[in-house]
Amino acid sequence: MAAAAHLGAAEHDEHHHGPPPANRSSRVDPATLGMLLFIISEIMVFGAFFTAYFFIRVVGGAEWPAEGDHLPKLIAGFNTAILISSSFTIHYAQESIRKDNRLGLQLGMVATFLLGATFLFIQINEYVHIGFSPQDHAQGTIFYGLTGLHGAHVTIGLMLLAFVTIRSFRGHYSSGHHLGMEVPGIYWHFVDVMWIIVYLTVYII
């Protein structure tokens, strides 16, 4: 018996070509892991802007915002509430599809997309009426840099949400197959959390 097993293993080795199969962890799906690594890299990008903010305001002692400028804290707070709400709606969509509730998935995704689009519209409208530009002073550069970087991430997130929403109406997701909307959901939660940090840093502190 042992000789036969050894012979079978030898025949397998003889016919096997190339490197052995990669060792894959069953705990984290490759798509999820890829998204998490991407988010880590994006946190580093935001970190570079926060470092510049720190040096201008703390080390350099610059007034924030610059003298004569005003940041619309109330409007930004309302916009923050809108974006935080979108985290709840996408969570509702995720929980719905886990229970094969496709209507709940569709409603949650549409609501999330509309809330995200509303946030971006208000942010752009704020740029139009805020009264200063990036080239006016260092504070303006950092303000537009941080909020604009986040706005770019919201735009990417809206593209992903639109794709997921279309697929949800086409019946592409089920309780056993919904990774395609779970991964964009992770990204959207990251966008929401990052905005809370930007809002508290830029508008409140």
Side-chain angles (χ1 to χ4, degrees):
M1 180 71 69
H6 178 74
L7 179 61
E11 290 178 352
H12 175 75
D13 292 339
E14 182 179 348
H15 292 290
H16 178 75
H17 299 283
N23 182 25
R24 172 183 167 184
S25 172
S26 60
R27 294 184 179 182
V28 181
D29 184 88
T32 303
L33 180 60
M35 176 57 73
L36 293 176
L37 292 175
F38 173 74
I39 288 175
I40 291 173
S41 69
E42 294 305 291
I43 291 174
M44 294 179 182
V45 175
F46 275 98
F49 281 86
F50 280 115
T51 301
Y53 165 87
F54 172 81
F55 273 96
I56 289 173
R57 187 173 181 182
V58 180
V59 178
E63 186 177 352
W64 187 273
E67 185 177 357
D69 292 334
H70 171 73
L71 297 180
K73 296 181 180 180
L74 184 61
I75 296 176
F78 175 73
N79 216 17
T80 300
I82 291 176
L83 198 61
I84 292 175
S85 298
S86 70
S87 267
F88 289 99
T89 54
I90 198 169
H91 178 71
Y92 170 74
Q94 291 169 333
E95 290 300 314
S96 294
I97 194 58
R98 287 171 185 154
K99 300 174 183 176
D100 272 326
N101 179 4
R102 294 188 175 181
L103 178 60
L105 167 66
Q106 294 164 359
L107 291 175
M109 291 309 305
V110 170
T112 304
F113 180 85
L114 292 177
L115 288 169
T118 302
F119 171 88
L120 192 61
F121 174 80
I122 294 176
Q123 186 70 57
I124 294 173
N125 186 67
E126 179 181 312
Y127 288 161
V128 173
H129 297 94
I130 200 165
F132 61 88
S133 61
Q135 63 268 25
D136 288 345
H137 38 63
Q139 294 94 323
T141 302
I142 295 303
F143 171 81
Y144 278 95
L146 272 172
T147 58
L149 178 64
H150 181 268
H153 283 77
V154 172
T155 302
I156 295 172
L158 286 175
M159 293 178 184
L160 294 175
L161 292 179
F163 183 69
V164 172
T165 302
I166 292 172
R167 292 191 65 191
S168 69
F169 277 90
R170 293 181 176 179
H172 290 181
Y173 303 115
S174 66
S175 58
H177 179 73
H178 55 268
L179 184 64
M181 68 88 54
E182 290 279 355
V183 174
I186 295 173
Y187 177 82
W188 192 252
H189 286 305
F190 158 71
V191 169
D192 290 358
V193 172
M194 188 54 65
W195 173 252
I196 295 175
I197 299 173
V198 171
Y199 170 69
L200 292 176
T201 303
V202 174
Y203 292 88
I204 302 301
I205 298 177

